[in-house]
Amino acid sequence: MRIELVTAPGTAGRLNEDWTAVSLPASGEGGVLVVLDGVTPPAGGDGGDGCVHGVPWFTARLGGALVELSGSRRDMTLGAILSEAIRRTADAHRDTCDLSHVRTPQATVVMVRWGTDAVEHLVLSDSTLLLESPDGAVRAVLDDRLDRIPREALRLVATADALRNAEGGFFTAAADPAVASRAVTGRTPAAEVRSALALTDGAARWVEMFREGGWADCLALVRKSGPQELVDRVRAAESADPDGAAFRRWKTSDDATVAYVEL
Ligand SMILES: [Zn+2]
């Protein structure tokens, strides 16, 4: 088994709001990979999110609960685990914070749990999961709700807020456990998965924004040269277009996480 994780802040010296972990229980029954991308409150809003804790506190709580439940409750589906982890996290600051605030701390989620029989996956919002079969075919698991919304609409803070965790908009793990039902989930026989690669959108830019290759190329690059190489290539593409003249984007560079598991 080979496991490699790399995470890098979008801007040196600024807090990286991605969160990632791999857990391998001692039983040898399998493991779990969790990648979260904490959603940064938009500039130009009122600046508030109703929470005294902040995004890093939120992702640490949520991610910790996801890892713990994935190992201790193998009887629960990943959807049920996400729901319970959101509830636990919400309970931890319900008394101090306004969880009804539209910008209450929130995150995108990728989970992969493998065992002797199957590989389960869950994707919520715009992080990416790639699953590779033994014959080399690569399947991208995407929750494309955010992509279906015109970019112009998202540029307006008020419009983006109205679409956040709302019907017809996009969904993230925030304070409502019911959002778990919106996640893209699936189960694949273990014999049909050779490797899994999870990317936050800051790393998926190599494919989705800079178009330097497709998903299969991306996985092949990480296998051959490691996750850091993918992040380095994204940063090089960003540096070559510092003002976003060739590739229009909100953030010149974004937090980037690459998590690779070869089963
Ligand atoms: Zn809080």
Side-chain angles (χ1 to χ4, degrees):
M1 168 161 274
R2 172 183 167 198
I3 296 169
E4 289 186 50
L5 302 176
V6 162
T7 185
T11 309
R14 278 195 58 180
L15 213 56
N16 180 349
E17 292 182 327
D18 288 357
W19 188 97
T20 185
V22 172
S23 168
L24 300 170
S27 63
E29 274 190 333
V32 65
L33 163 68
V34 177
V35 174
L36 308 179
D37 179 354
V39 178
T40 309
D46 62 11
D49 61 7
C51 174
V52 301
H53 304 95
V55 173
W57 177 91
F58 174 81
T59 49
R61 285 270 177 168
L62 182 68
L66 291 172
V67 168
E68 190 270 304
L69 288 165
S70 295
S72 67
R73 295 294 308 273
R74 294 196 74 91
D75 57 310
M76 287 171 75
T77 64
L78 296 185
I81 286 170
L82 176 59
S83 181
E84 172 61 15
I86 291 172
R87 192 191 60 74
R88 275 192 195 177
T89 306
D91 285 349
H93 65 149
R94 196 179 297 290
D95 294 341
T96 51
C97 306
D98 173 14
L99 303 191
S100 68
H101 197 294
V102 72
R103 290 192 294 270
T104 188
Q106 51 202 272
T108 77
V109 182
V110 174
M111 298 176 73
V112 184
R113 181 168 65 176
W114 58 94
T116 45
D117 297 334
V119 176
E120 302 158 84
H121 66 261
L122 178 148
V123 176
L124 181 66
S125 198
D126 63 350
S127 291
T128 300
L129 173 66
L130 304 181
L131 294 173
E132 186 201 25
S133 63
D135 66 5
V138 173
R139 173 162 56 113
V141 182
L142 303 165
D143 170 5
D144 63 356
R145 286 190 191 89
L146 195 52
D147 290 338
R148 281 186 250 144
I149 299 167
R151 290 282 127 178
E152 295 67 33
L154 293 171
R155 269 182 236 289
L156 298 166
V157 171
T159 317
D161 277 352
L163 292 166
R164 198 180 297 275
N165 289 313
E167 206 60 55
F170 59 96
F171 294 88
T172 55
D176 178 12
V179 82
S181 68
R182 310 280 184 167
V184 177
T185 59
R187 187 181 171 90
T188 311
E192 293 174 21
V193 182
R194 177 162 75 180
S195 68
L197 178 64
L199 309 167
T200 58
D201 61 339
R205 284 179 169 197
W206 190 75
V207 174
E208 294 185 316
M209 181 179 292
F210 300 117
R211 313 256 171 217
E212 296 199 9
W215 294 122
D217 303 312
C218 182
L219 193 138
L221 174 70
V222 170
R223 164 175 293 122
K224 180 164 178 280
S225 306
Q228 186 64 50
E229 177 66 17
L230 179 62
V231 174
D232 290 347
R233 291 198 186 193
V234 169
R235 294 290 179 251
E238 289 164 345
S239 301
D241 180 41
D243 305 321
F247 302 97
R248 281 188 71 188
R249 53 198 194 267
W250 292 353
K251 302 177 194 167
T252 303
S253 59
D254 196 3
D255 297 343
T257 297
V258 181
Y260 179 65
V261 177
E262 219 166 80
L263 299 172

